[in-house]
Amino acid sequence: MTDPTRRNVLRGAAAIAAAGGLAATGARAAAAAPQTATARRFPFLEGAFEPVTEELTAFDLPVTGRVPRDLNGRYLRNGPNVLGLEDPRAHHWMLGDGMVHGVRLRDGRAEWYRNRWVRSSQVAKKLGEPYPGPVPPDDFPCNTHVIPYRGRILTLQESGPLPYELDDELNTVGTYDFRGTLKGPLTAHTKFDAEAGELHAIAYYPTWDHVRHLVVDPAGRVSRTARIPVADAPMIHDFALTEHHVVLLDMPVTFDPAGAERGDIVPYVWNDKHPARVGVLPRKGGAVRWFEVDPVYYSHTLNAYEEGSEIIVDMTNFDAPFYVAGNGSGGPHGASTPRLDRWTVDLRHGRVRTRTLDDRPQEFPRVNESLVSRRHRYGYSAAFGEMAPAYMAVDGNPPDRAFRNGLIKHDLSRATTQVHRLPRGAAASEAVFVPREHSAAEDDGYAIAYVHNPDRGASDLLILAAQDFTGEPVARIHLPGRVPLGFHGSWIPDA
């Protein structure tokens, strides 16, 4: 394989990963949105998705309401924000350079807002900055997730690139390989089991004949690696974890070698010949049990847990087929909007039962992170009017349908939901749950999310009391600029 072709393979793999005191600190990018005449052809470069063109720093942010004094830390969210785009036709939304947006809260104050590109070698070059040290293999400005890990802040990407570490003010420190023990890709969606102190990942790569289950032990080293044979090099964007099992979701989105040879932007295709199946792997090692299911495209898991001989997995799904490379719109294209489903893997009888929990368009489900791999009652997701039609765009023309903006709280024990409704044009990013200090109940805490404020043409950090979800926000922190719709974030509490 020639170097140019290899770069196309890796670029496509990275694309799957998969939204007064002011001072501009970075270069103003040439991330030009299309002109009016052609804007509808590229919905992922306009409106709520339009990239921002500068790095900002603002202090003592204005607040409507009151910031809870027990919220001491940073809320960070990662997402693609293309830098120096010259031709929209050669771009895919999920290939955008990673940019992390952060707000620092302390003692009831919103101390600062910052947005910073992740300084990979490519981004450093575009910004005219030196890149320290040798360029790592498969280098990419991680654009999918940002997580805390044992005092570090890590930005994540799947299928190749190493995580990039940030400092407390979002400056890029460099790549991170778990004390030299990470040999190859990680994932965009790690799972941290707080009780076991373990970080888990399912890693894939377009030229592998397997995927890997990685376990990072409490000492911060990759201590176990299990290779799981798979056909067709499928994309495995997310997975689920229970107390004793790892749940793999092997769906018919697979690597396309011919597309890579042609130089396709994203060489992954819907493959009708690839069977859809769920795999259950014992966490301590052993054989994988596979269960066939009807094909769908899953996007993200909310959580999973065990109930006797059954494994319960809650996740968001699209109807089949799903085209990661899109349909001329510069982003992915789905046959439907995503919904919240529950899959029950019956280990005793060897089957999977599926049902829809909520069919409203929604994405980015999150749970109280202390319950990852354990039974949960509540989940939080985002319903965004701007993302649903963009995903369903056909040749860049979104359907003429009004989708609501809002944040959703699911009570999965009572099969009820609460919706915090948002105005038209108030696109909401993923909502992350943050527990209150000394909280006893699972939902005793806050749901926080970046929300576009159409009246200001900028974004707010919205803080909701999770037990008063439909009530007035506890606080709206007014940011100096927009936070484009992107991917995933985390609350990074003070130590």
Side-chain angles (χ1 to χ4, degrees), residues 207-363:
T207 58
W208 287 353
D209 61 359
H210 63 278
V211 297
R212 297 177 184 177
H213 170 228
L214 309 176
V215 181
V216 184
D217 63 22
R221 295 177 176 271
V222 178
S223 59
R224 296 201 307 275
T225 300
R227 297 192 177 196
I228 304 158
V230 294
D232 305 321
M235 180 195 77
I236 299 186
H237 178 61
D238 201 354
F239 72 105
L241 188 71
T242 71
E243 185 176 1
H244 300 103
H245 298 93
V246 180
V247 182
L248 296 91
L249 301 165
D250 180 10
M251 298 296 133
V253 174
T254 63
F255 178 62
D256 178 18
E261 291 290 341
R262 287 192 305 268
D264 290 359
I265 297 175
V266 182
Y268 278 79
V269 296
W270 182 267
N271 182 356
D272 285 320
K273 296 181 180 179
H274 185 85
R277 58 184 189 163
V278 176
V280 177
L281 170 72
R283 278 175 57 164
K284 293 185 177 180
V288 180
R289 289 185 63 186
W290 292 104
F291 305 81
E292 289 197 7
V293 294
D294 291 333
V296 299
Y297 175 73
Y298 75 95
S299 53
H300 299 101
T301 60
L302 169 67
N303 194 31
Y305 60 89
E306 296 161 13
E307 194 171 69
S309 62
E310 295 182 334
I311 295 175
I312 313 299
V313 185
D314 293 339
M315 58 187 176
T316 48
N317 289 326
F318 293 80
D319 289 336
F322 186 87
Y323 300 102
V324 177
N327 194 22
S329 62
H333 167 62
S336 70
T337 53
R339 62 186 178 271
L340 185 65
D341 286 350
R342 171 166 288 182
W343 287 14
T344 301
V345 184
D346 187 335
L347 299 175
R348 178 177 299 170
H349 298 98
R351 63 190 181 191
V352 179
R353 302 190 306 274
T354 67
R355 66 186 177 97
T356 295
L357 299 174
D358 190 347
D359 63 0
R360 283 173 291 194
Q362 60 194 284
E363 249 285 30

Side-chain angles (χ1 to χ4, degrees), residues 159-237:
S159 192
L162 287 172
Y164 265 94
E165 181 181 354
L166 308 181
D167 67 16
D168 288 346
E169 295 185 342
L170 310 190
N171 302 304
T172 301
V173 176
T175 56
Y176 185 70
D177 61 5
F178 296 91
R179 302 171 65 183
T181 61
L182 178 60
K183 308 298 184 182
L186 191 63
T187 181
H189 289 288
T190 55
K191 309 293 181 189
F192 184 72
D193 182 336
E195 292 192 23
E198 294 178 343
L199 187 73
H200 290 250
I202 295 292
Y204 72 94
Y205 198 74
T207 58
W208 287 353
D209 61 359
H210 63 278
V211 297
R212 297 177 184 177
H213 170 228
L214 309 176
V215 181
V216 184
D217 63 22
R221 295 177 176 271
V222 178
S223 59
R224 296 201 307 275
T225 300
R227 297 192 177 196
I228 304 158
V230 294
D232 305 321
M235 180 195 77
I236 299 186
H237 178 61

Side-chain angles (χ1 to χ4, degrees), residues 7-87:
R7 284 196 296 270
N8 286 333
V9 170
L10 299 176
R11 182 178 63 173
I16 306 304
L22 187 64
T25 61
R28 294 176 180 268
Q35 299 300 313
T36 302
T38 59
R40 290 177 66 84
R41 294 177 55 198
F42 304 102
F44 289 94
L45 287 172
E46 65 174 35
F49 296 92
E50 182 180 354
V52 297
T53 60
E54 59 186 358
E55 296 179 324
L56 304 175
T57 303
F59 298 98
D60 296 323
L61 306 175
V63 177
T64 299
R66 184 172 296 178
V67 176
R69 296 189 67 85
D70 59 346
L71 282 178
N72 291 291
R74 297 161 180 82
Y75 175 62
L76 309 183
R77 202 225 65 195
N78 203 350
N81 194 92
V82 62
L83 173 63
L85 178 63
E86 295 180 357
D87 185 357

